[in-house]
Amino acid sequence: MTILLTRNPEMPLTSRLILTATVTTLLLCSLLSGKTVSAQQADLILHGGKVVTVDAEFSIAEAIAVRGDRIVAVGADADVLALAGEKTTKVDLDGRTVLPGLIDSHVHATGASMYEFDHPVPDMETIADVLAYVQARAAVLDEGEWIKISQVFVTRLRDQRFPTRYELDQVAPKHPVLFRTGPDAAVNSLALELSGIDKDFEITDGKPGYIERDPETGEPNGILRSCTRLVKTTGSSRRATQEDRLDRLEALFADYNRVGLTSVCDRGGSDGSIALYQRLKEEDRLTCRVFVSYSVGAQSDLEQIEKRIQKAASSPHHAYDNMLWLRGIKIFLDGGMLTGSAYMRQPWGVSQIYSISDPEYRGLIYVPEEKLYRIAKFALENDLQITAHSVGDGAVHALIKAYERIHKDDFSVKGMRPCITHCNFMSAEAIERMQRLDIVADLQPAWLWLDGKTLLRQFGDERLTYFQPYRSLFEAGVTIGGGSDHMQKIGGRRAVNPYNPFLGMWITLARSPRWMEGALHLEQSLSREQAIRLYTINNAYLTFEEKEKGSLEVGKLADLIVLDQDILTVPVDEVKDITVRQTYLGGRLVHSTAE
């Protein structure tokens, strides 16, 4: 089949329409070979719309045809409708816009789906909200049961601080409380007592972290930095069965489909999560394609790390399958910007928000240079994409250095697409070095929206010049993908972090943090075409699948979505509110709104 799409390059993007479409189809080939017409008819045709192909030319067509799970034609209505037969499902788009199925480059689906299994967790924007939740849980739990809150980041509270040990004591004196934000936490007095953390306690396990103390008494003040592992919690929620986990995961994938997602990357997969994905796949309940980066604990010794990498490489899921593919390795290189532990090239600065008192403090890096190099090289040697959680510019530079060293060892990393996860704080130098080696990156636009105000207060405008520098990365030719780092709750906008990709696209266009006026370095904003590529073909490239999906071209998987508004012409502020009318996965309808 040959399809020719032409356009006038001088026409503006928002008014591009298909000018000519010549379709020589497999149908005609079958006629010439003596096969019946019906054998090559399309199963599904969407016509009368604006099909944004996201091909190399960003061409726009009127119609698209699908047979099986693949696209067989894209072009003008008349040409594509010629493929219709008696059994073809024809959908009149009535002028609506079609995009390739969207891809999220970073989720933690199996954990996120179970977050509210025991009970709903309200949104929390203030310390008062946190304390009210703790008090409400204390009223329904037996005395002595743990109250645990995860990932309510202090940078996302209007108060911009942790709840104190004593505030938690007041609302839950008879319950141990853990307020956890990744590796950092705030706990109350009973939690400290049960964990054996007192005035004389010292960290002796050789792992990172420190315990904040009252400067006058030396007593722990309840804030634990990068050592939440020291808290000895016990379970207090009802136990989930395997069927519960499958049902919740299926429900989450249905919501991913609702916001236009047809593929996701699990950036921290375990044996248990892979088993859940496989079970859904076997039962034909898997409605998102899943790329897995296998979680590897970089704090283990090298022998254990290499065994785990080899386990991933020898897994049957390492063989390509467009529904479930184990193709990556994920480690943690530094802390987080939400917890004040991202590893920076320059000191963080004394901070009340982050409880930083040392003017030379630069954050935490977890993997020494030599060990990082060896882990990354071993993963690449085993045909596994390596990525590392790298938030601060110090960590980003350290990871690039490791990839460069591997490349100098007569082991070309070009084409192997080593990745940087998060990659929030960058530099012009880092971008140039990434481009040279085809290093890719997985970024989360929602963090700019959610945390921009706090970061501006902490670092000032100049230090944020290369915070999520989308335009600089695109212009340099570095391939980056958009993701969410979805960790808790089901719901595209209510989740931690929000996974609605249209919200993500809007953030890259407007760069407007919440709770503040104006934009954060608007010169780093994207065009609409670039924003769409961020969640389609770019993410397909991140997972080595740009020839399979990410654009609407003949031969590719028929993953596509129909929008309620035209993303190319709607006012910028309305991009975030676009909804998806239909979602197709391999030509199969997996989401449709009620008419």
Side-chain angles (χ1 to χ4, degrees):
M1 180 184 305
T2 302
I3 292 184
L4 175 63
L5 300 178
T6 65
R7 61 170 183 163
N8 182 347
E10 297 181 358
M11 291 181 68
L13 174 63
T14 54
S15 63
R16 289 179 196 161
L17 293 173
I18 192 72
L19 298 181
T20 63
T22 302
V23 183
T24 305
T25 67
L26 292 173
L27 170 61
L28 297 179
C29 293
S30 70
L31 288 172
L32 291 173
S33 62
K35 295 181 180 178
T36 63
V37 173
S38 60
Q40 295 299 330
Q41 291 170 349
D43 297 321
L44 171 69
I45 293 177
L46 283 73
H47 62 92
K50 186 174 182 178
V51 180
V52 182
T53 66
V54 196
D55 63 4
E57 298 300 316
F58 210 71
S59 305
I60 296 174
E62 293 176 325
I64 184 168
V66 177
R67 180 167 179 81
D69 65 349
R70 300 279 170 170
I71 298 167
V72 295
V74 182
D77 280 341
D79 295 317
V80 176
L81 283 167
L83 301 179
E86 292 182 2
K87 296 182 179 179
T88 301
T89 299
K90 292 186 287 185
V91 177
D92 186 348
L93 293 168
D94 194 24
R96 294 189 181 92
T97 299
V98 175
L99 289 182
L102 304 179
I103 304 169
D104 190 311
S105 65
H106 191 137
V107 300
H108 300 281
T110 54
S113 63
M114 295 304 295
Y115 182 70
E116 293 182 305
F117 173 71
D118 183 61
H119 63 278
V121 179
D123 292 339
M124 301 178 209
E125 290 190 356
T126 65
I127 293 293
D129 293 340
V130 173
L131 298 177
Y133 171 74
V134 172
Q135 189 169 38
R137 294 301 295 159
V140 298
L141 293 174
D142 292 337
E143 185 175 314
E145 284 197 74
W146 279 84
I147 300 171
K148 292 175 278 191
I149 309 172
S150 296
Q151 310 305 82
V152 179
F153 297 105
V154 296
T155 56
R156 295 179 182 175
L157 295 174
R158 292 182 184 270
D159 312 74
Q160 296 189 328
R161 65 173 177 84
F162 279 99
T164 69
R165 165 185 179 176
Y166 307 105
E167 286 172 325
L168 296 173
D169 286 347
Q170 287 178 348
V171 292
K174 297 180 180 180
H175 294 79
V177 181
L178 171 65
F179 177 92
R180 177 180 174 274
T181 60
D184 296 354
V187 296
N188 69 347
S189 297
L190 185 53
L192 287 171
E193 179 184 337
L194 293 174
S195 301
I197 301 173
D198 57 17
K199 183 177 181 179
D200 301 318
F201 182 86
E202 299 291 340
I203 298 175
T204 58
D205 63 3
K207 296 180 180 179
Y210 66 95
I211 298 166
E212 287 194 11
R213 301 179 185 274
D214 186 300
E216 295 183 2
T217 66
E219 290 285 345
N221 68 6
I223 297 176
L224 310 177
R225 296 290 184 183
S226 293
C227 56
T228 306
R229 67 184 182 279
L230 301 175
V231 184
K232 299 176 181 178
T233 65
T234 57
S236 59
S237 59
R238 62 191 178 100
R239 191 177 299 276
T241 67
Q242 189 76 344
E243 293 306 315
D244 289 330
R245 296 184 185 280
L246 289 166
D247 290 344
R248 295 283 296 183
L249 187 56
E250 183 180 24
L252 173 57
F253 283 148
D255 204 71
Y256 282 168
N257 299 152
R258 190 171 293 113
V259 296
L261 293 170
T262 55
S263 294
V264 296
C265 304
D266 184 331
R267 294 294 190 187
S270 65
D271 296 316
S273 61
I274 293 170
L276 288 171
Y277 298 139
Q278 177 61 23
R279 175 85 176 274
L280 288 181
K281 178 176 177 287
E282 290 170 352
E283 296 177 4
D284 198 27
R285 298 163 64 190
L286 186 60
T287 59
C288 273
R289 306 182 194 279
V290 182
F291 176 96
V292 179
S293 293
Y294 200 51
S295 178
V296 172
Q299 301 303 311
S300 303
D301 62 52
L302 274 170
E303 183 179 358
Q304 290 177 300
I305 291 169
E306 290 179 353
K307 284 182 179 178
R308 187 157 176 84
I309 291 173
Q310 287 173 329
K311 182 178 181 181
S314 61
S315 167
H317 296 294
H318 187 41
Y320 182 64
D321 181 319
N322 63 38
M323 287 302 298
L324 177 58
W325 193 21
L326 171 54
R327 181 62 174 82
I329 291 294
K330 160 84 175 296
I331 66 171
F332 277 79
L333 182 53
D334 73 340
M337 71 180 195
L338 307 181
T339 56
S341 51
Y343 186 64
M344 308 294 288
R345 293 195 296 164
Q346 301 296 324
W348 272 75
V350 173
S351 172
Q352 182 179 4
I353 302 170
Y354 294 99
S355 299
I356 298 170
S357 56
D358 179 1
E360 299 304 316
Y361 171 79
R362 291 173 53 198
L364 302 172
I365 192 161
Y366 301 142
V367 188
E369 181 177 330
E370 181 64 24
K371 189 176 186 181
L372 176 62
Y373 157 76
R374 292 182 63 179
I375 293 171
K377 186 174 184 181
F378 193 76
L380 292 170
E381 287 173 338
N382 280 272
D383 193 34
L384 290 162
Q385 182 188 52
I386 177 70
T387 194
H389 167 114
S390 308
V391 174
D393 53 4
V396 169
H397 277 246
L399 188 56
I400 293 171
K401 183 177 180 180
Y403 294 155
E404 288 173 334
R405 181 179 168 190
I406 295 167
H407 189 69
K408 291 177 181 176
D409 290 346
D410 295 324
F411 184 94
S412 176
V413 303
K414 283 191 173 182
M416 305 197 77
R417 304 178 195 179
C419 185
I420 305 175
T421 286
H422 302 315
C423 209
N424 284 293
F425 295 89
M426 301 191 68
S427 66
E429 175 193 348
I431 293 171
E432 190 273 331
R433 291 162 68 188
M434 290 172 69
Q435 189 277 330
R436 283 204 306 261
L437 293 187
D438 191 24
I439 297 170
V440 299
D442 147 36
L443 285 84
Q444 292 69 49
W447 292 11
L448 187 155
W449 176 59
L450 292 169
D451 309 304
K453 181 178 180 181
T454 300
L455 296 172
L456 189 61
R457 177 180 167 189
Q458 175 65 33
F459 294 111
D461 187 71
E462 185 176 351
R463 281 189 71 176
L464 296 182
T465 301
Y466 282 91
F467 176 75
Q468 295 196 359
Y470 292 106
R471 184 176 296 181
S472 292
L473 286 158
F474 264 85
E475 289 179 349
V478 176
T479 303
I480 58 172
S484 63
D485 198 10
H486 175 217
M487 292 182 284
Q488 283 95 18
K489 299 186 180 182
I490 297 176
R493 294 288 286 269
R494 68 183 292 269
V496 181
N497 297 297
Y499 54 80
N500 186 312
F502 295 99
L503 174 64
M505 290 184 211
W506 169 77
I507 293 165
T508 67
L509 300 174
R511 293 186 66 95
S512 180
R514 65 175 181 170
W515 302 340
M516 66 173 273
E517 296 294 327
L520 185 61
H521 286 283
L522 192 58
E523 75 277 4
Q524 290 291 357
S525 64
L526 294 181
S527 68
R528 299 195 195 205
E529 176 180 329
Q530 291 169 332
I532 292 168
R533 289 188 182 279
L534 193 70
Y535 284 89
T536 54
I537 194 65
N538 281 23
N539 271 338
Y541 186 87
L542 258 62
T543 62
F544 306 91
E545 295 176 282
E546 71 275 12
K547 294 182 180 179
E548 287 286 301
K549 61 187 182 184
S551 61
L552 300 177
E553 299 180 79
V554 171
K556 287 193 173 185
L557 291 162
D559 298 349
L560 54 97
I561 59 176
V562 182
L563 310 184
D564 71 332
Q565 298 185 78
D566 183 359
I567 190 171
L568 298 180
T569 61
V570 72
V572 169
D573 253 5
E574 295 181 24
V575 169
K576 64 182 181 297
D577 300 317
I578 289 174
T579 61
V580 177
R581 295 178 63 92
Q582 286 88 29
T583 300
Y584 293 87
L585 180 76
R588 176 166 65 106
L589 186 66
V590 292
H591 161 70
S592 182
T593 58
E595 292 293 341

